[in-house]
């Protein structure tokens, strides 16, 4: 027995160590954007819903980041506060195509984490003439007059006139737009036709009786050069139509 004890002591002195247990990985938290959508296309409101697993402490501040290509960096544009494993964030943004993510700061035992990125097309209503007319023309002394910014800051209003038997048109760059909404007021002393064109190709039209109002709305997905035209059908002095036109765009 004495010899066995001496042998064990010799091994310990020689530095034989006991086996070490495997390291336990640190717990991880995940974050993701569950949904992102435009909830008010007039004001430009984006609503983001995120999920956070495991749930952080209630009321944790969760920022929404947007990638800014011109600066080549992420920028916080809004934030929300967690409730359970969810967070809802709203922000007002102009029409855009941007990339978003949410983030959660470190909370022991969890390290900080960011969600996978999501690219989102944000469509917002804007005045048709925000970027000005690309071209205008017609026949019979055509006049396509956009209301100046000091009188029409939305850049949506214009007056279209021509002589008897004439017509007038104006074009805008509609790249990035998918829908047009036109209010039309016919001040002509007779009958006119109002039409929308993809460049020079007619897409849709409507006839308007003297001193009437109506709407001319249309899906313009894929149209990059939108033309609005007014033509005289039967009048004493020529066509005269006032318009208030909006485009649903990402720019």
């Amino acid at each position: 027995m004495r010899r066995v004890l001496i042998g064990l002591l010799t091994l310990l002195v020689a530095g034989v160590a006991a086996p070490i247990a495997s390291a336990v990985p640190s717990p991880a938290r995940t974050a993701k954007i569950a949904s992102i959508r435009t909830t008010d296309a007039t004001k430009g409101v984006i609503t983001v819903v995120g999920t956070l697993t495991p749930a952080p402490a209630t009321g944790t501040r969760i920022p929404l980041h947007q990638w800014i290509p011109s600066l080549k960096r992420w920028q916080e544009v809004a934030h929300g506060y967690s409730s359970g494993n969810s967070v809802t964030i709203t922000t007002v943004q102009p029409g855009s195509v941007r990339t978003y993510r949410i983030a959660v700061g470190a909370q022991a035992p969890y390290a900080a984490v960011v969600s996978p990125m999501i690219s989102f097309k944000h469509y917002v209503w804007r005045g048709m003439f925000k970027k000005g007319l690309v071209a205008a023309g017609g026949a019979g002394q055509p006049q396509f007059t956009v209301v100046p910014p000091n009188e029409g800051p939305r850049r949506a209003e214009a007056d279209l006139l021509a002589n008897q038997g004439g017509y007038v048109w104006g074009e805008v760059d509609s790249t990035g737009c998918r829908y047009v909404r036109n209010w039309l007021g016919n001040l002509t002393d007779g009958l006119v036709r109002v039409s929308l064109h993809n460049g020079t190709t007619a897409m849709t039209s409507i006839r308007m009786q003297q001193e009437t109002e109506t709407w001319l709305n249309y899906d313009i997905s894929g149209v990059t050069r939108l033309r609005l035209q007014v033509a005289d059908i039967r009048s004493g002095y020529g066509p005269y139509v006032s318009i208030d036109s909006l485009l649903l765009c990402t720019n």
Side-chain angles (χ1 to χ4, degrees), residues 151-164:
E151 297 179 28
R154 293 183 304 122
R155 309 300 288 144
E157 300 156 276
D159 293 317
L160 287 70
L161 299 87
N163 290 342
Q164 184 183 28

Side-chain angles (χ1 to χ4, degrees), residues 63-237:
L64 174 67
H65 295 155
Q66 183 189 80
W67 177 254
I68 310 298
S70 60
L71 302 177
K72 292 182 170 52
R73 65 178 176 84
W74 291 97
Q75 178 175 295
E76 181 177 328
V77 293
H79 64 270
Y81 296 94
S82 67
S83 176
N85 68 343
S86 180
V87 63
T88 299
I89 306 170
T90 60
T91 180
V92 175
Q93 296 291 316
S96 57
V97 181
R98 290 289 174 87
T99 301
Y100 295 87
R101 71 183 189 185
I102 58 174
V104 188
Q107 285 185 357
Y110 304 103
V113 65
V114 296
S115 71
M117 301 175 294
I118 286 184
S119 180
F120 177 62
K121 291 183 178 180
H122 179 43
Y123 287 90
V124 178
W125 290 108
R126 65 167 172 83
M128 177 184 281
F129 311 110
K130 178 181 178 181
K131 298 188 176 184
L133 282 173
V134 174
Q141 295 188 330
Q143 299 176 54
F144 196 115
T145 306
V146 178
V147 176
N150 61 322
E151 297 179 28
R154 293 183 304 122
R155 309 300 288 144
E157 300 156 276
D159 293 317
L160 287 70
L161 299 87
N163 290 342
Q164 184 183 28
Y167 65 98
V168 56
W169 57 265
E171 289 182 355
V172 296
D173 182 351
S174 55
T175 303
C177 304
R178 70 180 187 186
Y179 204 80
V180 63
R181 188 170 66 193
N182 302 282
W183 173 87
L184 309 171
N186 183 19
L187 304 175
T188 311
D189 62 337
L191 183 65
V192 299
R193 177 183 291 107
V194 184
S195 53
L196 294 173
H197 301 245
N198 180 1
T200 59
T201 304
M203 297 186 294
T204 187
S205 66
I206 189 170
R207 288 189 171 202
M208 294 187 71
Q209 299 290 338
Q210 178 178 346
E211 297 180 355
T212 58
E213 300 176 4
T214 191
W215 290 88
L216 181 59
N217 306 330
Y218 204 71
D219 185 333
I220 57 170
S221 300
V223 176
T224 59
R225 199 171 177 102
L226 177 65
R227 175 181 291 192
L228 190 148
Q229 178 171 294
V230 172
D232 188 15
I233 295 177
R234 184 180 62 254
S235 72
Y237 301 102

